[in-house]
Every structure is written in C-alpha cells, then in structure tokens.
Amino acid sequence: MAVSADRDTQVASENLREIWETPDALSRLLSTVDHKYIGLRYVVTAFLFFVLAGINALLMRVQLMSANNTFADPQIYNQWFTLHGTLMIFFFATPMLFGFGNYFVPLMVGARDMAFPRLNAFGYWVFLFAGLFMYASMIFNVAPDGGWFAYVPLTSKIYSPTPNLDFWLLGLMFLGISTTAGAINFIVTIFKMRVPGLSLNRMPLFVWTILVTSLVVLFAVPALTTANILLFLERTFGFHFFDSEGGSPLLWQHLFWFFGHPDVYIIFLPAAGIVSEIIQVFSRRRVVGYTLLAMSAILTGVVAFGVWVHHMFAVGISPLVNSLFGAASLMIAVPAGIQVFSWLATLVLGKPRFKLPLMWIMGFILTFVIGGLTGVMFPAVSFDRQVTDTYFVVAHFHYVLVGGMVFPMFGAMYYWLPKMTGRMLNKGLGYWHFWLFFLGVNGVFFPMHILGINGMPRRVYTYATDMGWEPLNLFITVSAFVIALSVILFIVNIFYSLWAGKQAGDDPWGGATLEWATSSPPPPYNFEQMLAVASRVPVWDEEIHEADSSRVANINVHDADLDINHIEKELIAQRDPSDVYKLETIGTTLITAEADAIYHMADSSTLPLLLSLALLLLFTAALFHQWLLAAIAIVISIFFIALWLWPEETREEAREETA
C-alpha cells in the first residue's frame, strides 16, 4: 500500500509539473508567469539597482572626503545624488519588497499563483524597462540632476533646459504602471485566493502588511503620476501648472509629498511584516499582539496621508496648518511604538535563537529606533526650520530607511533564500556581513547628525577648509567603504552558497506559515494538493497535531476528515479527480475564506513582454518628442492588449484535442 501511495504521489507531481511548468528555458525566460520566477527576478533586479545606487553614493563620498575636492564637478555630482535617491527609493526599496511579496504571498496564503499571472509578468517587465530607461541617462551623461523630489522651479524648462529631467519624469510615469498593476494583483490575490480557513484574522502579518501597502499605493501613486504628467506638459508644451504665470510652485510640493510621505510607509510596512515573521519563528512563540500589529499597519497606512505638509514647514504655510500637520506627524509614532513593543515582548516572552535572520532584525530595531527618535523632533516646527535641508535630515531618513527597510531585507535574504534556492547561506560570511554593515551604517549616518547641526547643507558638492567639516566627512567616507565591503561579502556568499551551500531542506528554521509546508525550492504548482488551514501558524499546529490528534490544523481538502462548509464540499464534489491536474485553483470569500469558486489560471505568454516593449517605445518616443512614433507605439500597445484579452485555447484543451 505504501509503495502504491508513493507511486500515486509521484504521478500526481509529474502531472502537476507538466501543467504548471513553462516547458523550456527560453520560453521560461520570455514568457513565464510563475510568481516565483517573477518574484526572484524582482529581487535580483532590485538588488542590482541597489548596487548601482550604492556606487553613486560611494562616488559622492569620495568627492566629500576632503575640503575643496575637485574629484567631480557640480554637474556630475548633481546627477549622482539624484540618481542615487531615485534608484534607492523607486527602483530598489519598493520593488525589492514587492519581489518578496510576489514570491511568498501566494505561498503563505496557499495559492497556486497570483490572481493575474500575466499582469504579474507585465509588471516585472515594465519595472525592468523603466529602470533601464532611467539608468540609460547616466550612460549618456544626461542623468536627472534635480534631486529625487525634483522641486520646481529648479526643474522647469528655464532652469533645466536639457533632457535630464525628462528622463526622470517619463521613467517614473513608466514605473507607476508597474507599481499600480502589482498593487491590484496583491489585493485580489489576498482577498480572493486564500486557502479555505485562512480568514482575515489568521493571515500572516507579512501578508497583512503587503495588503495595506498595496492599498496605500493605489491612493498615493496617482498623485505622483499626475505631478509628473503636468510637469512634462509644462516643460514640453509650455503649460503653466507650476510657474507664477497662472500656476504655483507649491502645487508640485503638495502633489509630490502627498505621494512621498506615504511612500515611506510603502517601504516600511512590508519590512515590518518581515520583522514580525522572523521574530515569531526565532522566538519560538506566536507573536505578541497579533491583532494590534495588524491594526497598527492599517492605522499607519491611513495616517500616512495626513502628514505630508511636515516636509513643507519652511515654505511659509500658515502656523495653524503647520500645527495640525505637526500633531498628525506625532500621532504616527503611536502605531510604530505598538509594533516595536510587540516585537520586544515576543522576544522577551519567547526563547530567542540568535541566528543570522534574527541578528539582522536586532540591528533593525536599534537603527530604526534611533531614526524614530530623530523623527519625532521634526513635528516641532521651530526645530524643523533650523535643520531643514541640512545633513541632519539626511541622517534621519537614512536611519529610518536603511534601518527600517535594508536591515529587514537582509534578514529576509537569510531567512527566505534557503526556501528560494534550496541552499543555506554560509554562516561565517554572514556574520562578517552583518557586523561590517551595522558598524558601517552607524559610522556613516550618525556623524551626519553632528554635521547637520553644525550647518552643513545637504547636496553641497564641496566645502571650505575653515568650516571644520573635513574630519567627520573623511570618517563617513571610510565607513561608506566598510558598507561596500559588507555588501561584496554578501554577494560572494550568494554565489558560494549556490555552488557549495549546505542543503536547506524543506523547513530549515522551523517556520510557522504555509511557505514552509512545501519543498525548497517550491515546485511550479506550489503544493501538490490544495490545502485548508485552521490556525495562524498552521505548520506549527500540525506538529502539535502529531502529538495531540485533537488539534488538527493543516487539512488536505481530499481527506475524509475535512471540516469545511457545504459550499466547499459541493465544489469538491463537482470536481472530477483528474481536475486537480488542470490550470486552476480555489477561490474563497473575502473575510472568512470559505471556498466559493474555481478559478482558471492564465498560461505562460510572451504578450506581457511584448506589451512592455511597446510601452518602452512609447516613452522613448515621448522623450525625443517623436509624436508620430508615439502614436504608432500606442496602436501597437492596443493591438497587444486585444490579443491578451482574446479567448485562446488552453493547454488542457490542446492536450485533450491531441488525445
């Protein structure tokens, strides 16, 4: 009987692989819609942009390491800091976290794939081409040079007549398509494709934070896209949105920061979800305050839209308005405080194992708290005006963003890469990576507080010897190279582990959520059988079930003991046993996750790639003001969209016809 069961399992796996796997390497490269390939591509591509942006930062630090340095002229220095900020914010931080979301959200909710697999592939290709479009400007020495928030009138046609800013405007418009498509996909996947039993109050906290982030994206990104379109029209056709001839420069700041401040939480919230997952697993207990953590994520997402004016305290807005936004800015410290205390309580009440992923989370807590403490100083309007546009601000937001996103990202790398690659990272190299990065970050950004208070302005490309800033700047530059060394060690570790790393096994950390219930790396179909759960930590409870049969958590929908409602039973009863091998998955209700539909999933296709290329042609034509070519690109795009929507023969139908 056991041999027969093993043979059945092997046949099931082979059948599922045939249905879900894109057949050959070239097709996989160009047409795959597998969320795991796409998630991995997001992670790798975003990390490459992280390295490129880091090189820009090192060049800036070489220029600033001594007074009156002539290593770079002001024009190229402006391009370096603009591209550094733009790549880090738009092409590294959010795509990296969306990459982890792409890979792990379907696994954590027990789905076969994202809700719209082709839209998912399209989002990645657009992200890649938008990044190449933006970075191509550096190759041609016309990189954006107006800072990552591109204030007018500096970025208007009068003061920036070259195409540098057009690259920035069009590149971000292009990227906005990808970000919006990704957010819609996450929301539908999380609301409609959770396994039976995974109700909203059982969702992993990482999934909660991805959901809130996606909702924030839908409301925040349109403001940035609108601002970019208006400024492009003003620069290209002479409209007057942001100049004094009928427009207002402040309008740009309002539109930009209505996006810009929520973007801080778009970056932070998924990282907070990663922190919750890692702390739970390595403390060996359920996270303390699960409901409070989920509610804190929602509250952060809501309050994020009420604080944008605190970036504009120095522009002359009325004191009453400044006070209101100052109070709102203080209020956002409340959910952040709840999160930090919940994490600390989980560590104190659990039995923490200080493995590498948890080391990075401890580094996150220390660094992020420092950034938070300086952050609560800015709602005091008088203080804000004293340090605006100084290195104090640079120090603050790097503590928040590096502490709040980069530390959790590296924690996630050590935590989840074994699942993604099947190999463990080397511990020795990992500890060197952590300590060099931790010391380097504090060596770079802590002295910037002192430089800022002493009056060193941000974005200055040089300074006089008698300002007294040289020793600290030299120390910062040396520390920046320590960070670079740590990142090099991490890259070496990746290649070493892929070549000779220890086999990870399915669950090397003793994880709690569903991604650890499948193999490492997961097969194309994620799970051999569709699952149902009855717990927030289904994998842990299944272990308890082995010792105590009264606590059943991880239930196979084909088992006789299935405890699900009549709709689910009806759906399953309607299914022929061979249906399990079709390209489809179960859909569930929004709140309680009861099965209510069978969804057919899209097959692999090159249309997402072709449509992205057509859009690249459109934005390139707009850059060079080639409007006929732009019109042709629009027609091509519409053609590909029509092909995308056209009913087509499925792979199962083709197989049945052949048979």
Side-chain angles (χ1 to χ4, degrees):
M1 290 295 289
V3 172
S4 175
D6 290 344
R7 189 167 54 247
D8 290 346
T9 302
Q10 186 179 356
V11 170
S13 300
E14 289 172 356
N15 278 318
L16 283 165
R17 185 174 291 278
E18 184 183 346
I19 290 297
W20 288 88
E21 188 171 52
T22 309
D24 57 78
L26 182 61
S27 299
R28 208 155 37 242
L29 177 66
L30 302 176
S31 68
T32 185
V33 295
D34 187 331
H35 71 98
K36 296 178 290 299
Y37 279 107
I38 295 168
L40 194 56
R41 286 175 182 180
Y42 265 109
V43 169
V44 172
T45 309
F47 193 81
L48 288 175
F49 284 124
F50 171 71
V51 171
L52 292 173
I55 291 171
N56 285 133
L58 288 177
L59 293 171
M60 288 155 55
R61 287 316 315 172
V62 171
Q63 168 61 22
L64 292 174
M65 66 187 295
S66 60
N68 298 316
N69 197 347
T70 57
F71 176 70
D73 61 40
Q75 286 73 31
I76 193 68
Y77 186 85
N78 288 349
Q79 293 184 25
W80 289 345
F81 76 67
T82 301
L83 211 52
H84 167 74
T86 301
L87 291 180
M88 284 293 191
I89 294 291
F90 297 104
F91 291 92
F92 158 63
T94 306
M96 173 63 76
L97 296 169
F98 269 32
F100 282 122
N102 251 292
Y103 199 103
F104 286 104
V105 164
L107 288 170
M108 293 174 106
V109 302
R112 296 279 197 208
D113 205 324
M114 295 286 282
F116 307 115
R118 289 186 182 179
L119 187 67
N120 202 27
F122 171 70
Y124 168 74
W125 289 118
V126 169
F127 157 62
L128 174 65
F129 293 143
L132 294 177
F133 178 90
M134 184 74 79
Y135 206 78
S137 63
M138 189 77 196
I139 297 168
F140 297 110
N141 197 29
V142 285
D145 54 1
W148 76 272
F149 40 75
Y151 275 179
V152 292
L154 175 65
T155 53
S156 63
K157 196 70 174 178
I158 297 174
Y159 301 105
S160 299
T162 54
N164 305 52
L165 263 298
D166 294 323
F167 271 105
W168 192 87
L169 296 169
L170 292 166
L172 293 191
M173 279 187 249
F174 196 9
L175 180 66
I177 298 171
S178 165
T179 312
T180 305
I184 292 170
N185 217 346
F186 277 125
I187 292 168
V188 179
T189 303
I190 294 169
F191 275 152
K192 291 301 296 176
M193 298 185 67
R194 306 191 308 276
V195 292
L198 192 64
S199 51
L200 285 181
N201 63 344
R202 288 174 180 160
M203 282 199 319
L205 285 165
F206 178 66
V207 178
W208 262 112
T209 55
I210 288 286
L211 174 62
V212 175
T213 300
S214 300
L215 292 169
V216 173
V217 163
L218 287 190
F219 288 97
V221 169
L224 176 66
T225 304
T226 302
N228 288 336
I229 292 172
L230 296 183
L231 186 53
F232 182 74
L233 291 174
E234 182 171 307
R235 288 174 53 84
T236 307
F237 299 110
F239 285 79
H240 301 285
F241 297 109
F242 303 117
D243 62 17
S244 57
E245 300 179 29
S248 167
L250 278 186
L251 175 60
W252 172 269
Q253 294 195 32
H254 281 295
L255 286 171
F256 184 86
W257 288 117
F258 187 81
F259 155 82
H261 200 84
D263 191 51
V264 173
Y265 304 104
I266 289 171
I267 293 168
F268 170 69
L269 282 175
I274 291 170
V275 172
S276 297
E277 298 299 334
I278 291 178
I279 284 183
Q280 174 172 260
V281 168
F282 289 89
S283 297
R284 306 306 299 162
R285 63 154 291 141
R286 295 173 187 237
V287 69
V288 174
Y290 169 91
T291 306
L292 284 175
L293 283 167
M295 295 301 293
S296 296
I298 297 171
L299 183 61
T300 301
V302 172
V303 178
F305 287 99
V307 298
W308 81 90
V309 171
H310 84 217
H311 294 272
M312 302 164 59
F313 282 160
V315 301
I317 294 176
S318 78
L320 176 61
V321 173
N322 284 346
S323 300
L324 291 174
F325 278 91
S329 302
L330 280 174
M331 194 167 69
I332 208 159
V334 174
I338 290 172
Q339 289 167 322
V340 170
F341 282 113
S342 291
W343 295 326
L344 291 177
T346 307
L347 286 167
V348 170
L349 297 176
K351 296 176 181 175
R353 298 175 300 162
F354 288 95
K355 305 284 186 181
L356 270 167
L358 188 58
M359 292 290 289
W360 283 97
I361 301 308
M362 299 306 294
F364 149 77
I365 292 175
L366 288 170
T367 313
F368 181 70
V369 167
I370 293 173
L373 289 175
T374 55
V376 296
M377 299 178 188
F378 289 107
V381 178
S382 53
F383 176 82
D384 180 274
R385 286 180 174 171
Q386 289 299 313
V387 297
T388 285
D389 285 336
T390 70
Y391 261 78
F392 191 93
V393 178
V394 180
H396 159 70
F397 73 69
H398 277 89
Y399 261 98
V400 170
L401 292 180
V402 176
M405 185 269 162
V406 181
F407 274 90
M409 176 202 75
F410 279 125
M413 293 280 193
Y414 286 94
Y415 180 57
W416 275 328
L417 276 182
K419 172 58 65 179
M420 301 165 87
T421 65
R423 301 273 184 173
M424 301 295 290
L425 289 163
N426 180 274
K427 282 195 294 187
L429 285 172
Y431 282 113
W432 273 103
H433 172 210
F434 169 75
W435 283 112
L436 287 175
F437 191 84
F438 181 78
L439 295 173
V441 164
N442 285 283
V444 168
F445 299 116
F446 193 82
M448 287 185 183
H449 293 104
I450 302 168
L451 286 172
I453 289 174
N454 286 335
M456 181 170 173
R458 65 194 297 189
R459 297 175 175 172
V460 64
Y461 92 103
T462 190
Y463 49 88
T465 307
D466 57 4
M467 299 303 291
W469 300 334
E470 194 169 25
L472 278 180
N473 271 301
L474 178 60
F475 180 76
I476 290 171
T477 300
V478 172
S479 300
F481 278 91
V482 172
I483 294 177
L485 176 60
S486 76
V487 174
I488 291 171
L489 287 179
F490 174 69
I491 295 170
V492 170
N493 200 350
I494 293 284
F495 284 104
Y496 174 78
S497 70
L498 290 175
W499 175 57
K502 179 183 168 188
Q503 293 288 338
D506 293 349
D507 188 5
W509 308 118
T513 41
L514 282 178
E515 77 269 30
W516 303 107
T518 187
S519 60
S520 303
Y525 43 86
N526 288 352
F527 302 96
E528 286 186 0
Q529 295 155 325
M530 295 178 185
L531 305 177
V533 301
S535 167
R536 286 177 187 161
V537 285
V539 176
W540 281 358
D541 281 355
E542 189 182 36
E543 291 174 359
I544 294 169
H545 169 59
E546 291 177 1
D548 177 3
S549 60
S550 66
R551 299 189 63 181
V552 177
N554 193 348
I555 310 166
N556 187 312
V557 294
H558 297 288
D559 284 348
D561 294 331
L562 189 62
D563 181 19
I564 52 180
N565 68 27
H566 69 282
I567 300 176
E568 292 161 344
K569 289 179 179 174
E570 199 169 292
L571 280 168
I572 293 163
Q574 292 169 0
R575 288 163 62 80
D576 184 276
S578 62
D579 281 354
V580 73
Y581 303 130
K582 287 191 174 180
L583 205 62
E584 56 185 34
T585 191
I586 285 182
T588 51
T589 54
L590 191 148
I591 296 175
T592 56
E594 296 168 358
D596 68 349
I598 301 293
Y599 295 140
H600 180 81
M601 305 297 289
D603 208 346
S604 54
S605 170
T606 54
L607 284 171
L609 171 61
L610 295 173
L611 180 58
S612 306
L613 285 170
L615 291 176
L616 177 62
L617 178 63
L618 170 63
F619 282 96
T620 305
L623 177 69
F624 294 105
H625 301 176
Q626 298 298 313
W627 305 119
L628 177 60
L629 185 59
I632 293 171
I634 291 173
V635 172
I636 295 172
S637 300
I638 293 172
F639 173 73
F640 285 136
I641 292 171
L643 276 183
W644 186 326
L645 299 176
W646 200 263
E648 62 182 21
E649 187 180 53
T650 64
R651 205 189 301 181
E652 299 96 270
E653 289 167 346
R655 191 172 61 168
E656 286 168 6
E657 283 182 12
T658 303

